[in-house]
Amino acid sequence: MGALPVPAEVRAILLDIEGTTTPIAFVQETLFPYIKDNVKEYLRIHWEEEECQCDVGLLRKQAQEDSSLDGAVLIPLESGSGEEELERVIQAVVDNVHWQMSLDRKTTALKQLQGHIWRTAYAAGHVKGKIFEDVVPAIRKWREAGMKVYIYSSGSIEAQKLLFGYSTEGDILELFDGHFDTTIGSKVESESYRRIAASIGCATNNILFLTDVPREANAAEEADAHVAVVIRPGNAGLTDDEKSYYSLISSFTELFLPSST
């Protein structure tokens, strides 16, 4: 792989999280299991709070949209008939969350609830966001060179800020100029990258997107953004065609900015 020159027109670097700034193992072995193990207790504690009811309402609406899918779990409305019914509704929410997670769904409703559960975990010190060692030094160099740095992840913006705010490198939120999640569009749709470019006030070819997922790289490239695929321990393997087609890096230190000459 070696050094990868960054095109001169690039003004902003857009970063994926899982498999790019953060090990996939942290997400799969720490964050997701925490949700599965704690969602029921979280719902019981926070059920009466407005935020929690909003989360449940979004999940209920998503469940209705998913009703034709195999294994979909509907979430009934409460009629206020006691603790037994409340437990039944909470269990339906839990089952719905587990079902969506088993399919690796990226729905906004699921991501929003996950973000709120992780917030309690980070704040209590039960979880710290894992960051690859090359990430922070590289981003500092990019910013010193005048580059803007943004995050685009399927995880909610709140979940992103928690990961970087309570990370193994400390609070590093100051390193990022903005955050994007699925509310701006799917990461495998080219229009999402056009919306991001418009939001940050540049052309798509002023953006370099780093991700470990070729489908995402392809969507960004279709929007005329520059892309590089990140190779990290634990990431899914690439086909020979993907390896030969995409620019590849295994560390952020391999990016070579023209302004650093």
Side-chain angles (χ1 to χ4, degrees):
M1 280 166 266
L4 177 65
V6 174
E9 67 264 30
V10 169
R11 298 288 179 268
I13 297 179
L14 184 65
L15 302 174
D16 170 47
I17 293 179
E18 183 179 355
T20 299
T21 67
T22 297
I24 284 179
F26 170 71
V27 178
Q28 295 182 344
E29 298 172 12
T30 299
L31 288 185
F32 285 169
Y34 188 91
I35 298 294
K36 292 176 181 178
D37 294 344
N38 292 277
V39 60
K40 180 180 283 189
E41 185 65 16
Y42 175 88
L43 291 168
R44 284 173 173 164
I45 293 171
H46 299 278
W47 188 259
E48 300 298 330
E49 298 171 13
E50 182 179 352
E51 181 179 79
C52 186
Q53 284 300 302
C54 178
D55 292 345
V56 172
L58 283 179
L59 285 166
R60 185 178 284 120
K61 181 180 179 182
Q62 183 66 51
Q64 291 171 342
E65 295 175 6
D66 293 339
S67 60
S68 63
L69 300 180
D70 185 38
V73 180
L74 293 176
I75 301 171
L77 290 166
E78 289 179 83
S79 63
S81 60
E83 288 296 317
E84 187 174 327
E85 187 210 32
L86 175 59
E87 279 298 310
R88 182 170 61 87
V89 176
I90 287 177
Q91 187 59 53
V93 177
V94 172
D95 292 344
N96 179 276
V97 167
H98 285 185
W99 172 73
Q100 289 202 61
M101 292 182 69
S102 73
L103 298 176
D104 196 25
R105 300 289 301 281
K106 311 288 188 185
T107 65
T108 298
L110 174 63
K111 296 301 180 181
Q112 180 169 298
L113 176 64
Q114 287 176 330
H116 293 154
I117 296 173
W118 286 324
R119 181 177 61 201
T120 64
Y122 282 111
H126 296 154
V127 174
K128 276 190 177 293
K130 175 68 175 173
I131 311 293
F132 286 114
E133 291 182 359
D134 58 276
V135 170
V136 171
I139 293 177
R140 291 195 192 283
K141 285 186 66 175
W142 301 342
R143 292 179 62 86
E144 288 170 6
M147 200 69 68
K148 298 286 190 179
V149 182
Y150 299 87
I151 296 292
Y152 182 28
S153 172
S154 58
S156 69
I157 288 174
E158 180 169 14
Q160 297 172 26
K161 290 182 175 180
L162 288 167
L163 191 154
F164 294 116
Y166 295 90
S167 84
T168 50
E169 303 294 324
D171 182 350
I172 57 172
L173 283 172
E174 65 177 11
L175 297 181
F176 305 108
D177 294 282
H179 298 257
F180 299 95
D181 61 15
T182 54
T183 58
I184 205 159
S186 168
K187 295 175 73 181
V188 296
E189 294 176 359
S190 58
E191 186 59 31
S192 303
Y193 300 89
R194 297 187 185 97
R195 293 190 191 110
I196 289 173
S199 176
I200 63 181
C202 70
T204 50
N205 72 345
N206 297 139
I207 294 174
L208 171 63
F209 179 47
L210 304 184
T211 178
D212 64 309
V213 181
R215 285 184 67 206
E216 296 174 2
N218 184 59
E221 193 175 63
E222 284 182 355
D224 202 29
H226 298 278
V227 301
V229 173
V230 184
I231 310 296
R232 298 284 199 183
N235 287 7
L238 303 177
T239 66
D240 288 340
D241 285 345
E242 289 167 344
K243 290 176 182 177
S244 61
Y245 179 79
Y246 290 109
S247 297
L248 308 176
I249 61 170
S250 61
S251 168
F252 285 6
T253 59
E254 293 170 11
L255 287 184
F256 184 76
L257 273 57
S259 56
S260 64
T261 57

